[in-house]
Amino acid sequence: FPSHDTKQVGDCLEWQGNFGLSTPRFSGEPRKQNARGWAHYFATGEYKAVSTTCGNHKCVKDAHLRRPVPNTL
């Protein structure tokens, strides 16, 4: 991400752009894109829905992102 869209806060890399439903978003075609999904893509080559392990809803640091565990109940 461009550095103006993120800010180092403690151990987290906080998204400074737009949010949608408490999720970091940025403008993209054809609609707003999930910033965490793209952060994971840039690090791993896979675009996946991810959540944070740090509990910071603004965080997009790849080391703090993980795939959610599917509900098996």
Side-chain angles (χ1 to χ4, degrees):
F1 297 109
S3 61
H4 66 274
D5 289 340
T6 59
K7 177 179 165 184
Q8 189 73 38
V9 177
D11 193 37
C12 294
L13 190 59
E14 287 191 351
W15 182 251
Q16 301 298 300
N18 294 322
F19 285 82
L21 301 174
S22 298
T23 302
R25 303 264 183 198
F26 64 92
S27 295
E29 294 297 328
R31 62 187 184 279
K32 294 211 181 262
Q33 301 291 316
N34 182 316
R36 282 192 207 123
W38 282 106
H40 183 71
Y41 173 79
F42 292 138
T44 67
E46 294 182 309
Y47 182 88
K48 303 285 182 178
V50 292
S51 60
T52 63
T53 59
C54 60
N56 181 347
H57 77 278
K58 295 180 179 181
C59 187
V60 294
K61 184 175 183 177
D62 185 60
H64 294 187
L65 303 178
R66 67 169 172 81
R67 292 287 317 251
V69 177
N71 186 352
T72 58
L73 297 176

